[in-house]
Amino acid sequence: ASCNTCAANYYGAGCDVFCDPAMTCSGNGSCNASGACVCNADFYTANCSVSCTAATTCSGHGSCNASGTCVCSNGFSGSDCSVPPNNFCNVDNDCLAQSLGAHAGNGGLIDGGRCVSGQCQCLQGNSGLHCECRADSILCPTAGQNVAVFDTTTGLLSGCASVC
């Protein structure tokens, strides 16, 4: 090689690094001046062999790192970020509609909160990850145990506690 011109698919100062985009970079990238792969969008690793997209591979709840694996965000977990955190909600009904029995209006139900950006925002008087707790001296008249805790599946009273 002369005049800093290397033969096809050879790179580096001494033209001694072989890099073929189709083989070395798995057809998913190109070779830079030093003979290393530069991966196309959504391809990762030194040979661009791993595909990863935030929207599909990481379920829209994470991003791809240099090795093409998902790094989950906002409390999501799992190899594809599909496992929601304990306090995740999709709709307002995920923020417990509590069954308060006969002493409440609205057919015995009261909304626990609203789902905002995947998190329950509890209405006044409610607390807990899914707004499953409410200070209620009628349902829980024992001093120091006047927080009504509702079952997050059924919405029925599951017990009384001092705190949620």
Side-chain angles (χ1 to χ4, degrees):
S2 61
C3 300
N4 297 329
T5 303
C6 296
N9 297 329
Y10 284 89
Y11 300 86
C15 298
D16 56 350
V17 178
F18 177 80
C19 182
D20 175 10
M23 293 173 48
T24 311
C25 305
S26 307
N28 300 314
S30 59
C31 301
N32 67 15
S34 64
C37 292
V38 177
C39 299
N40 296 336
D42 300 329
F43 287 92
Y44 300 87
T45 67
N47 65 359
C48 306
S49 63
V50 177
S51 173
C52 181
T53 59
T56 54
T57 311
C58 303
S59 306
H61 299 292
S63 58
C64 303
N65 67 15
S67 65
T69 57
C70 294
V71 177
C72 303
S73 57
N74 298 320
F76 279 80
S77 61
S79 62
D80 63 352
C81 302
S82 64
V83 179
N86 289 337
N87 61 341
F88 182 75
C89 59
N90 281 310
V91 295
D92 286 345
N93 284 346
D94 291 340
C95 302
L96 201 62
Q98 301 163 348
S99 175
L100 298 179
H103 78 276
N106 192 27
L109 294 176
I110 186 169
D111 287 333
R114 299 287 173 257
C115 183
V116 179
S117 300
Q119 304 289 313
C120 288
Q121 302 294 317
C122 299
L123 298 176
Q124 185 174 0
N126 296 322
S127 61
L129 293 177
H130 290 279
C131 308
E132 70 274 16
C133 299
R134 180 174 184 79
D136 191 316
S137 59
I138 296 173
L139 287 175
C140 297
T142 304
Q145 298 285 311
N146 61 354
V147 175
V149 181
F150 296 87
D151 184 283
T152 56
T153 304
T154 66
L156 299 174
L157 181 67
S158 63
C160 298
S162 58
V163 294
C164 183

